Amino acid sequence: MNTNLTRRQAITTMSAATAGLAGLASIAPASTLATLNLGFDESTSEYTLPDLPYAYKALSPHIDPITMTIHHTKHHAGYVKGLNKALKQLHAIRSEKADPGTLQHWQRQLAFHAGGHINHTLFWEGMSPDKNNGGVGGGDPTGSLAKAITRDFGSIEKFNWQFKAAAKSVEGSGWGWLIYEPISKRLMITQMQNQQDMMFAGAIPLLGVDVWEHAYYLSYQNRRGDYLNAFMNIINWPEIQRRYNAATT
Ligand code: MN3
């Protein structure tokens, strides 16, 4: 069975149910992350690796199929495995079946691998094949998101510049993010080191770009800037708008 189709059907069903409650204005808004499929299996309490929403070759020529395949089936799968292992070890420590002195290690492992799993899930779904390849990728944001970007960064061009410059200058491995800060209701651009460091509490991730070398090295080698220029052609702005709507509704 196609996992993504099943998830979309579930979301459609949920939306229909929510529509029936339209009169309840005070109902908690769906968070940006609420519809994200992390492949959590209630029966085993373990996370699984969801399928990509497109084929491995679909983002060509911007990201090559071998990079996509290894990135998803090896790197992302590794974070899912590491997340399950960290949770299992923490359970064992609570049950006094493991050395409590290793708690700090497994807490770090939990943050790193849970971050890796969520970051990559947001990353895959935040991209789409470009318009020449049957997708909706690229172009500029529109609507309320474009207005907010213009308000908070000065213009779409200034946003594009800062987003790429911030991602390009991440030291070592990490991510560039467009986030929503829900308290002052503003968009910001942040850098993330590894899978979890430097992100502040409350930041709601909208758009992320993976700048670990595994994300681009086969095609771009040390030219991270070229990879980031290519990435702009496959941003799924309708999905980022959906996340923005969920964060601000
Ligand atoms: Mn990665």
Side-chain angles (χ1 to χ4, degrees), residues 71 75 79 120 175 195 210 212 214-215:
H71 200 169
H75 294 278
Y79 299 121
H120 284 85
W175 295 75
Q195 302 292 355
D210 189 341
W212 284 57
H214 67 226

Side-chain angles (χ1 to χ4, degrees), residues 164-175:
K164 287 192 284 184
K168 189 179 175 186
S169 59
V170 168
E171 292 175 314
S173 298
W175 295 75

Side-chain angles (χ1 to χ4, degrees), residues 102-223:
T102 63
L103 179 86
Q104 175 73 339
H105 169 74
W106 291 111
Q107 294 289 167
R108 285 182 188 278
Q109 289 286 300
L110 175 64
F112 179 79
H113 288 103
H117 185 26
I118 294 171
N119 295 340
H120 284 85
T121 306
L122 284 164
F123 180 56
W124 306 132
E125 303 206 0
M127 296 187 287
S128 171
D130 68 31
K131 291 174 178 101
N132 297 325
N133 288 293
V136 298
D140 285 334
T142 56
S144 58
L145 179 58
K147 273 189 196 156
I149 286 175
T150 303
R151 178 195 64 199
D152 295 339
F153 300 104
S155 68
I156 302 289
E157 291 69 30
K158 286 176 181 166
F159 160 77
N160 286 343
W161 177 83
Q162 188 187 341
F163 183 76
K164 287 192 284 184
K168 189 179 175 186
S169 59
V170 168
E171 292 175 314
S173 298
W175 295 75
W177 289 101
L178 167 66
I179 62 102
Y180 180 68
E181 190 280 275
I183 302 163
S184 49
K185 301 183 169 57
R186 286 294 181 273
L187 296 169
M188 296 180 191
I189 289 167
T190 62
Q191 295 178 324
M192 174 187 272
Q193 284 178 346
N194 295 321
Q195 302 292 355
Q196 80 282 26
D197 297 333
M198 291 178 69
M199 189 65 93
F200 58 83
I204 299 175
L206 300 178
L207 168 67
V209 61
D210 189 341
V211 293
W212 284 57
E213 286 185 346
H214 67 226
Y216 62 87
Y217 210 84
L218 279 181
S219 289
Y220 297 96
Q221 292 83 46
N222 62 320
R223 292 173 281 112

Side-chain angles (χ1 to χ4, degrees), residues 18-38:
T18 309
L21 298 171
L24 296 174
S26 63
I27 195 166
S31 97
T32 303
L33 302 178
T35 55
L36 204 61
N37 176 21
L38 292 180

Side-chain angles (χ1 to χ4, degrees), residues 81-110:
K81 202 175 160 191
L83 170 57
N84 288 327
K85 185 169 181 186
L87 289 170
K88 215 171 178 175
Q89 292 295 323
L90 289 166
H91 175 77
I93 290 169
R94 286 195 302 275
S95 312
E96 299 177 18
K97 288 173 187 161
D99 175 10
T102 63
L103 179 86
Q104 175 73 339
H105 169 74
W106 291 111
Q107 294 289 167
R108 285 182 188 278
Q109 289 286 300
L110 175 64

